[in-house]
Amino acid sequence: QKLSMPVFISPAGVHALCDEQNGECASARACGRVGAMFGLSQHATRSIEQVADATQGKTNLWYQSYILKDREMTLRLVKRAANAGYKGIFLTVDSVRFGFREADARNGWNALPEPHRLVNYDDEVSRISPGTKKAWLAPEASGVDKTKIYSGEEDAWDQNTEQLFEQNPTWEDVKWLKEEACKDIPLVVKGIMTAEDATEAVNAGVDGVMVSNHGGRGLDGALAAIDALPEVVEAVGGKVPILLDGGIRRGTDVLKALALGATAVGIGKPIFFALAVGGEEAVVDLLSMLQRETEAAMAICGCEKVADVRRSLVTRRPNGGSRAGKYVRSKL
């Protein structure tokens, strides 16, 4: 799949918190206008089909999935995306539990505020016949009380939805999803931070891996994605593309990631900032700015095209940034 630049919007939920009128539709349309890829979160405030309709085939759309305890719902959501014209699937594997959101708990944000909804789940409920809906919503149906999604029973709002997720997934589940729903579209596993997991992902038949620490919101003390990238690149050995998200703020960040072996990079938090400031137009401005910055950084480093970017462009201090010791150029 061809992109206008090696930058895309990573899947991140609830865009309508920053653009109440348009939500993810605004972000997706902005991607189409600049030729970037857009990742739609399973926890979006606009549905799979609404975003597809809003972009009218002008945006390269990908859908992000979790392995749910309800495996049939997992498959239905992914198949809905494929049927709506999405070009690939991100499978997030780093969130069998969400990191505890202490700021949310302190601020009393324990439920998604009205009128916002996690509409992809709501659509699943609406597609069930009235005669079976009550049984499907009951915990006995899948071990999950789906009515708790909006309950506010937990201290932080994400904890209301994490009970939907399979908490004991294996690489066999990745193979299962690829075989059952992703034979004809690429499946990229998101949340890889070690060489061992990268190797397991490739062996499971994925079409790409995404180095990500979930925006630093999962596990305190985890490596930055950029620090985990070199060992993942070495382990994968060019078998599949490698994406990265987390910490990308400037074009020079994009260049560093490319130099260390990433095929492309995703952005998350900056999109929310742009949406809050100016909606779709601000997201277009943000993506255009990153493209200009990346092009300028490449030119200054003597790179005419992305294929010219080499890891020797990145120099790192040894000993955790200590002033002692020589600078060393990065290597795998």
Side-chain angles (χ1 to χ4, degrees):
Q1 298 178 14
K2 298 293 185 182
L3 304 174
S4 66
M5 56 179 153
V7 179
F8 61 93
I9 293 184
S10 281
V14 294
H15 285 208
L17 291 177
C18 295
D19 184 339
E20 185 165 287
Q21 182 175 355
N22 298 291
E24 288 78 6
C25 293
S27 311
R29 283 194 297 261
C31 283
R33 290 169 61 182
V34 300
M37 184 173 76
F38 176 76
L40 180 72
S41 171
Q42 185 160 299
H43 288 180
T45 47
R46 298 295 182 272
S47 73
I48 293 166
E49 293 81 8
Q50 284 175 313
V51 173
D53 290 343
T55 54
Q56 299 180 325
K58 297 177 182 178
T59 303
N60 184 344
L61 298 174
W62 281 52
Y63 176 71
Q64 175 262 330
S65 175
Y66 295 102
I67 297 289
L68 303 176
K69 292 175 182 175
D70 187 333
R71 299 307 174 88
E72 289 303 312
M73 188 200 290
T74 304
L75 288 179
R76 285 196 303 269
L77 287 164
V78 171
K79 289 178 179 179
R80 277 174 57 191
N83 291 336
Y86 286 63
K87 302 298 184 184
I89 303 297
F90 292 115
L91 175 63
T92 296
V93 296
D94 61 5
S95 298
V96 293
R97 294 282 296 273
F98 283 128
F100 185 66
R101 317 296 200 212
E102 293 180 353
D104 292 350
R106 285 196 301 270
N107 293 325
W109 191 31
N110 61 354
L112 194 62
E114 293 290 349
H116 304 305
R117 306 283 293 183
L118 301 182
V119 292
N120 288 314
Y121 293 138
D122 288 354
D123 282 358
E124 285 296 304
V125 175
S126 70
R127 290 162 188 259
I128 297 172
S129 65
T132 59
K133 186 176 296 186
K134 183 176 180 180
W136 184 81
L137 286 170
E140 301 80 47
S142 60
V144 175
D145 184 357
K146 299 179 179 73
T147 63
K148 285 183 63 176
I149 294 174
Y150 305 107
S151 69
E153 292 181 16
E154 305 293 339
D155 290 331
W157 86 277
D158 271 338
Q159 272 66 47
N160 294 314
T161 54
E162 72 177 13
Q163 49 97 31
L164 294 172
F165 301 158
E166 173 60 67
Q167 295 189 348
N168 297 289
T170 70
W171 292 109
E172 291 301 314
D173 294 314
V174 177
K175 295 178 183 178
W176 164 79
L177 186 63
K178 178 63 181 175
E179 179 67 22
E180 294 294 328
C182 300
K183 286 182 177 179
D184 300 320
I185 57 175
L187 176 66
V188 172
V189 169
K190 179 179 183 291
I192 300 299
M193 289 289 288
T194 66
E196 293 86 351
D197 277 348
T199 300
E200 291 279 9
V202 172
N203 290 341
V206 303
D207 302 291
V209 299
M210 188 163 175
V211 180
S212 174
N213 63 9
H214 213 96
R217 304 175 70 235
L219 180 66
D220 272 354
L223 284 175
I226 193 78
D227 289 322
L229 178 61
E231 72 170 72
V232 171
V233 171
E234 183 175 25
V236 169
K239 297 182 180 72
V240 297
I242 296 173
L243 309 177
L244 173 142
D245 76 359
I248 301 297
R249 298 294 182 269
R250 305 300 297 262
T252 47
D253 298 327
V254 178
L255 182 58
K256 291 171 192 175
L258 296 177
L260 292 176
T263 306
V265 302
I267 54 175
K269 292 183 183 75
I271 297 303
F272 289 94
F273 303 152
L275 277 176
V277 170
E280 179 181 336
E281 292 300 325
V283 176
V284 170
D285 289 344
L286 168 63
L287 293 168
S288 300
M289 185 187 306
L290 276 173
Q291 183 170 23
R292 291 193 302 271
E293 290 178 357
T294 303
E295 289 172 349
M298 289 174 58
I300 293 168
C301 290
C303 301
E304 182 179 357
K305 53 188 181 296
V306 171
D308 297 332
V309 178
R310 297 288 182 266
R311 68 177 68 104
S312 58
L313 292 175
V314 177
T315 301
R316 315 183 81 166
R317 283 185 195 264
N319 306 319
S322 167
R323 293 191 178 187
K326 298 178 180 180
Y327 285 101
V328 294
R329 289 204 288 178
S330 182
K331 58 185 177 181
L332 297 178

